[in-house]
Amino acid sequence: MSRDRSDTLTPGAVFGTASFPDKAALILATWFGSGLAPVASGTFGTLAALPLAYAVSVAGSGWGVLVALTLFGLAFWSSERTRRLLRKDDPSPVVIDEVAGTLVTLFLVPPSWMGWTAGFFLFRFFDIFKPYPIRRLESLKGGLGIVADDLLAGVYARIALGIFLWLTHAA
């Protein structure tokens, strides 16, 4: 889905002249600049999601659901708006989709080095390799296509993480 067009722009090129809602969208979509990393922006976005995932885990499941649903809505909105601003179908600086997928992966997983490290790598695995039907979700239009594949990658990673944690605690 990441077809380049000859008239694509960078976040920095549009930020200065952007309206307040466009600036807010750029800040959220790049997850406060973590998506501006010159390489592996998705990995940096996933790392930058961990403080929010920790706050959600401390807040409890009720608040966690509320925060996650709010973030999902903001992800659809900001990625669509940023896609239009940057004139690219799936701009690499947009990493709020990785943040959303990370929240799905780590939901109700108590913070621990083993669990969260495994969750991090499982999410990145499913996000990068996109097993069926994750890749098909990229063909959805706009922000929905940008975010939906990461949400499903998060579901796959959460299931795999649950099995991993069950196996390591059952031994």
Side-chain angles (χ1 to χ4, degrees):
M1 181 167 158
S2 55
R3 290 185 315 239
D4 267 328
R5 297 191 299 236
S6 61
D7 62 343
T8 58
L9 300 169
T10 65
V14 299
F15 191 83
T17 59
S19 67
F20 178 77
D22 288 343
K23 286 179 181 180
L26 285 164
I27 290 167
L28 286 171
T30 63
W31 200 244
F32 306 96
S34 63
L36 302 176
V39 295
S41 60
T43 299
F44 280 97
T46 303
L47 284 170
L50 296 178
L52 178 62
Y54 181 78
V56 165
S57 73
V58 171
S61 60
W63 283 106
V65 168
L66 182 62
V67 168
L69 290 176
T70 301
L71 181 82
F72 299 163
L74 288 171
F76 292 125
W77 171 78
S78 66
S79 60
E80 171 59 20
R81 197 159 188 136
T82 300
R83 179 191 72 79
R84 288 182 186 179
L85 286 168
L86 301 183
R87 301 180 189 146
K88 189 173 181 187
D89 289 332
D90 191 358
S92 61
V94 172
V95 295
I96 195 168
D97 51 332
E98 274 81 11
V99 176
T102 301
L103 283 186
V104 171
T105 301
L106 298 176
F107 191 69
L108 298 178
V109 176
S112 71
W113 281 106
M114 182 177 69
W116 279 37
T117 300
F120 173 86
F121 284 108
L122 285 166
F123 174 70
R124 292 307 299 145
F125 172 82
F126 287 112
D127 187 33
I128 292 167
F129 292 105
K130 300 185 186 315
Y132 183 82
I134 296 173
R135 186 165 308 282
R136 293 188 69 191
L137 294 177
E138 287 183 313
S139 65
L140 297 172
K141 298 289 183 201
L144 180 62
I146 293 172
V147 178
D149 67 307
D150 291 87
L151 292 177
L152 187 54
V155 170
Y156 279 26
R158 180 62 181 94
I159 292 168
L161 179 59
I163 293 167
F164 170 77
L165 293 173
W166 180 76
L167 289 173
T168 57
H169 286 101

